[in-house]
Structures are given as C-alpha cells and as structure tokens.
Amino acid sequence: TAVYRNAGVEPPKTESPDHLPVVLEFAAIVDPRAGRRLLVEHRMAIEVLLEALTERRSCYADAVAAVCATLPAGTAPGARPPR
C-alpha cells in the first residue's frame, strides 16, 4: 500500500492492492515505473499463477502470459542472482 500512497493515490478499498488487475491498472494509469517495479518484484508469483491457469485451461492464461512476456526472465526459487 505504501507504493500507492507514494504515487499520491489511496490503495483500493474494495480489492486487494496486490490483485493482478489492480496492479496492472496502477501501472497503466497512475505510476508506470512503480507499477513495473511491483510486477518485476512479483514475477515468480505471476508465473505460478500462469502455470495454474494453464493447467486448468483457463481463458485468462493468455492474458497472464502476455503480462509475463513484458517482464524480464524470472529466477528459479533458491537460485543465486547473476554476478
């Protein structure tokens, strides 16, 4: 919620501020840099979501895949960051 407030807006009251559509809207219309940073920081969680949606053949899988395609490659859990 601090990211929203730092951008001069209140976090949403009716939805979780980390709900992917909310973060995407924040990135698109409020603060693109902060929004992208949030998306990059949560890339692994978005990939887990994509995997679950793909396994279930959800109609939302393609939309989440499109989000992932705009982000830098993820790092496997427990992997060391490149030096």
Side-chain angles (χ1 to χ4, degrees), residues 1 13 15 36 40 64 72 74 76 78 82-83:
T1 58
K13 292 182 181 7
E15 299 201 49
R36 179 159 176 82
V40 169
V64 176
R83 293 182 182 203

Side-chain angles (χ1 to χ4, degrees), residues 47-61:
E47 287 182 359
V48 169
L49 173 63
L50 174 58
E51 184 177 326
L53 292 173
T54 301
E55 286 177 9
R56 288 166 181 75
R57 297 184 180 173
S58 168
C59 62
Y60 298 106

Side-chain angles (χ1 to χ4, degrees), residues 8-70:
V9 297
E10 284 297 311
K13 292 182 181 7
T14 58
E15 299 201 49
S16 175
D18 64 351
H19 183 56
L20 183 57
V22 172
V23 175
L24 291 171
E25 182 177 15
F26 173 81
I29 63 174
V30 176
D31 189 333
R33 282 192 175 135
R36 179 159 176 82
R37 200 166 41 250
L38 283 173
L39 292 166
V40 169
E41 288 173 9
H42 295 90
R43 166 74 191 233
M44 293 306 296
I46 297 169
E47 287 182 359
V48 169
L49 173 63
L50 174 58
E51 184 177 326
L53 292 173
T54 301
E55 286 177 9
R56 288 166 181 75
R57 297 184 180 173
S58 168
C59 62
Y60 298 106
D62 288 341
V64 176
V67 171
C68 286
T70 69

